[in-house]
Amino acid sequence: MDRDIALIVVHGIGSQRSGETIGQCVGGILHRCPLIELKTESGQALTVREMVEQGLTRATLHTVEQTVRVYEVAWADLLAGEQVSGTFNKVWLAETSWYPWLNAKCGWLTTEEYPRWLVIARTLQLVFVQLVFTPIYELLPQRWHAEVMDQVVADVSNYMHSFTGWVKPLSPLRDAADRIIDRFRDVAAQAAADGCSEIQIVAHSLGTVIAYQGLGYYSASAPSGGQAVPITHLYTLGSPLEKVLFIWSGSLRPELAIPQIQRHDQALAEGKQLRWRNYHSPLDLVSGYLRRFKSWGPVENIRLRDLGNLAKAHTAYFRHPRFQEDLSLGLGLPQRTAEPSRTVSLVDKARSAVVNLTLPVFLLLASLLGTILVVAVLTLVVVLSWSLAYLIVNYPLNALLSLFGLNVSFGAVAQAAVVVGLGLTLPLLMYFTVVDGYRYARRTHDHWQRSKAESASGVADSA
C-alpha cells in the first residue's frame, strides 16, 4: 500500500542557496539507496545536480511501496543582504563570553543543572576566546567583515537577538526569527495538506535551533492533536542546542516545551512518539552532546569521529554513512545489499592531522600578530604624543632643570615613551576588553531580563 512520508530539511548558517542543503541530504539518500527514483513534484525525472542548480526546495523520492516528499525550509534570505550589514562586532564576543555568568547570577542556570564551578570554568574559557579573537577581528580585511562575519557568522547572534527581542524597534531583523519559524511551520502545514502520513525532520547547525523552536509548543493545556500528522523522527546534525541553552538561557525551555506544530490554534503535527537522534563530533566545535533535552523522550547521541578535520567536520554530516543509513532506515527505503567499505587513505589521515594541528596554531599566531599590531600602534601614539609634548616644553623644561644641573634629551623622552607604551598598553588593552565587554553584556542582559519579566507579567495578567 502506497504511503507518503514528509522529510523536512532545515539548513544552517551562511549564504545558503535554495536547494543546496536538500541536495546534500537527497544525495546521501541516493548514495545509500541507488534504486530510488528522484522526481520533481510533477513527476519528471530529476538529478541532484539539477535540483541544486534550479534551486528547488521540493522533490519526491519514489519506490514501489511509498513516496517520500522532501521539503526544504529555506530561510537564509531573511538574514542576508543590507539588513545585516555591520551586525557582527566585537561586543557580540563579549555577550557570548559573559552571558553564562550573568544567567547564573539571576537564577536562569540552576545549580543542579549547572554547578557554579562549571559556569566559572566555561566563562573563563569564553573570555579567553574573546581575548584571542578580538585581535584577529581587527586584522580581518573589510571584505571579510562584510562577506563572512556579517553574512555568515552573525546569523547566530542576529537570529538569537531577534528571537529574544534585543534589536532596535525599527530594525528589519526585529521579527526575522518569527518569520523564519513561520516558514518552518508553513512547510509542515504544506506537508500535512499534501496528505503525508508522517513527518520526519533533518536539521543542521543553527537549523536545529530553528526546528526545536518551531516544534516547541509552550502551554499548560495544549490543543488536542485530532487529525495531527505524527512527527516520528528528528535528526539533528552539528547542533549547538546545549550551547544556546547555556548562553541564551530562557530562549529555550526544554522542561516546558512539547513537540507540537501549531497553526491557527490547531495542532497540525505532533511528536508523541518522537525518536530523536543527535549526531555530533569532537572535531565539530559547534556540535555537542545533548544532556538537557530529554522532555521529549530520550535523545540518542551518536558520536562521529571520522568527519575529516576541524575545518570541514561541521559540514560533513550529510556524507557520513552512519547518518545516511539511519535516515534511510527511518524512511523505510530499500538500501543496497552491501555497502562498500569506507576506507580512509594514509594521505587523507595525514592531511586531517596536519589541519587539526596547524589550525589552532594559526589562530593563536594570528591573534598574537593582531595583538602586536594593536600594541605597536598604541605605543606609537604614546611616543608621538610624548615627543610632541617634549618639543613644546623643551626649552622651558631644560631651563628649569639646568638650575639643578639636569638635562632631558629627546632620545631619553622617546625611550621612556616606548617603555611606558609597551609596559602599559597590553595590560590596559586586556583590561578594557574584558571590563568593557562585561559592562556591555550586563547592560544588554539586564534589558533582556526586564523584557522577560514584563512578558511573564503580561501573560499572568491575561490569564
Side-chain angles (χ1 to χ4, degrees):
M1 180 178 179
D2 291 345
R3 65 188 184 114
D4 287 3
I5 297 177
L7 178 63
I8 298 176
V9 182
V10 191
H11 68 72
I13 67 171
S15 303
Q16 304 272 355
R17 294 178 300 166
S18 295
E20 186 175 351
T21 303
I22 193 177
Q24 295 181 46
C25 188
V26 170
I29 294 174
L30 293 176
H31 173 76
R32 192 77 187 186
C33 311
L35 299 180
I36 295 177
E37 296 179 346
L38 175 62
K39 297 182 180 181
T40 63
E41 288 184 283
S42 60
Q44 296 178 340
L46 184 68
T47 66
V48 173
R49 182 174 181 177
E50 291 172 342
M51 182 168 59
V52 174
E53 289 177 348
Q54 297 175 29
L56 300 181
T57 58
R58 297 183 63 176
T60 56
L61 296 168
H62 293 270
T63 68
V64 176
E65 298 181 349
Q66 70 181 54
T67 298
V68 176
R69 298 180 178 272
V70 191
Y71 307 80
E72 182 179 47
V73 181
W75 55 266
D77 60 297
L78 297 177
L79 293 180
E82 289 298 322
Q83 61 182 345
V84 299
S85 178
T87 52
F88 185 92
N89 51 57
K90 292 180 292 185
V91 295
W92 180 69
L93 295 174
E95 173 185 313
T96 306
S97 301
W98 288 108
Y99 265 25
W101 173 252
L102 296 171
N103 292 335
K105 285 185 65 177
C106 73
W108 289 353
L109 296 179
T110 64
T111 55
E112 292 79 12
E113 290 282 354
Y114 300 93
R116 189 54 60 94
W117 66 266
L118 176 63
V119 175
I120 294 174
R122 288 287 185 259
T123 299
L124 293 176
Q125 201 174 38
L126 291 169
V127 170
F128 173 75
V129 172
Q130 177 194 359
L131 291 173
V132 168
F133 276 94
T134 298
I136 296 176
Y137 177 81
E138 299 292 350
L139 278 178
L140 292 176
Q142 190 61 37
R143 180 179 176 182
W144 272 63
H145 284 264
E147 297 181 3
V148 178
M149 308 310 289
D150 290 343
Q151 300 293 333
V152 179
V153 181
D155 280 358
V156 178
S157 59
N158 288 334
Y159 177 81
M160 294 310 304
H161 287 165
S162 176
F163 186 83
T164 57
W166 181 239
V167 291
K168 296 179 180 179
L170 299 180
S171 170
L173 300 178
R174 186 164 185 81
D175 62 344
D178 291 337
R179 286 185 288 158
I180 290 172
I181 294 173
D182 283 342
R183 284 194 182 180
F184 172 81
R185 291 171 175 161
D186 288 342
V187 169
Q190 184 61 56
D194 289 341
C196 294
S197 59
E198 68 176 86
I199 293 175
Q200 300 189 25
I201 300 169
V202 174
H204 175 246
S205 187
L206 182 62
T208 65
V209 180
I210 295 168
Y212 185 85
Q213 290 174 326
L215 276 173
Y217 180 75
Y218 300 88
S219 176
S221 56
S224 173
Q227 299 299 317
V229 179
I231 305 169
T232 58
H233 292 75
L234 172 62
Y235 307 88
T236 50
L237 316 176
S239 174
L241 276 167
E242 282 284 351
K243 296 176 177 62
V244 170
L245 181 64
F246 187 58
I247 296 171
W248 288 284
S249 302
S251 61
L252 304 176
R253 302 292 298 277
E255 73 282 3
L256 299 178
I258 60 174
Q260 190 176 90
I261 300 177
Q262 292 283 321
R263 263 292 173 263
H264 309 300
D265 295 326
Q266 294 292 325
L268 61 89
E270 59 184 357
K272 290 184 176 180
Q273 295 180 335
L274 180 67
R275 183 170 185 179
W276 185 346
R277 286 191 175 104
N278 175 59
Y279 300 83
H280 63 102
S281 170
L283 295 175
D284 178 13
L285 303 182
V286 175
S287 70
Y289 188 100
L290 299 185
R291 294 180 174 85
R292 301 170 180 87
F293 291 85
K294 300 177 181 178
S295 60
W296 295 357
V299 179
E300 184 180 350
N301 287 283
I302 301 171
R303 185 180 177 125
L304 304 179
R305 295 183 178 275
D306 49 343
L307 282 180
N309 54 58
L310 287 168
K312 297 181 178 180
H314 187 60
T315 58
Y317 290 96
F318 289 105
R319 298 188 297 271
H320 197 278
R322 174 62 192 274
F323 167 68
Q324 293 175 355
E325 179 182 9
D326 289 346
L327 179 59
S328 301
L329 287 173
L331 293 170
L333 299 175
Q335 304 186 50
R336 65 172 84 232
T337 55
E339 174 68 16
S341 61
R342 185 171 184 260
T343 59
V344 181
S345 67
L346 291 177
V347 175
D348 290 335
K349 290 183 179 180
R351 187 183 294 115
S352 295
V354 169
V355 172
N356 293 338
L357 290 173
T358 57
L359 185 59
V361 174
F362 171 77
L363 292 176
L364 288 175
L365 289 177
S367 176
L368 180 61
L369 177 61
T371 303
I372 291 174
L373 289 177
V374 173
V375 170
V377 169
L378 294 178
T379 300
L380 181 62
V381 171
V382 174
V383 171
L384 292 177
S385 301
W386 284 34
S387 300
L388 180 62
Y390 173 80
L391 293 176
I392 295 174
V393 302
N394 175 29
Y395 293 107
L397 176 63
N398 279 317
L400 177 64
L401 293 177
S402 65
L403 299 177
F404 304 95
L406 301 174
N407 182 57
V408 178
S409 66
F410 179 81
V413 171
Q415 290 179 0
V418 171
V419 171
V420 171
L422 292 177
L424 293 181
T425 299
L426 183 58
L428 288 176
L429 181 65
M430 295 176 63
Y431 173 80
F432 284 114
T433 298
V434 173
V435 172
D436 286 350
Y438 176 76
R439 288 173 178 169
Y440 171 83
R442 187 176 63 181
R443 185 169 65 252
T444 60
H445 194 275
D446 288 346
H447 174 86
W448 183 22
Q449 193 174 358
R450 288 194 301 271
S451 298
K452 285 188 64 176
E454 292 171 359
S455 176
S457 176
V459 171
D461 292 341
S462 63

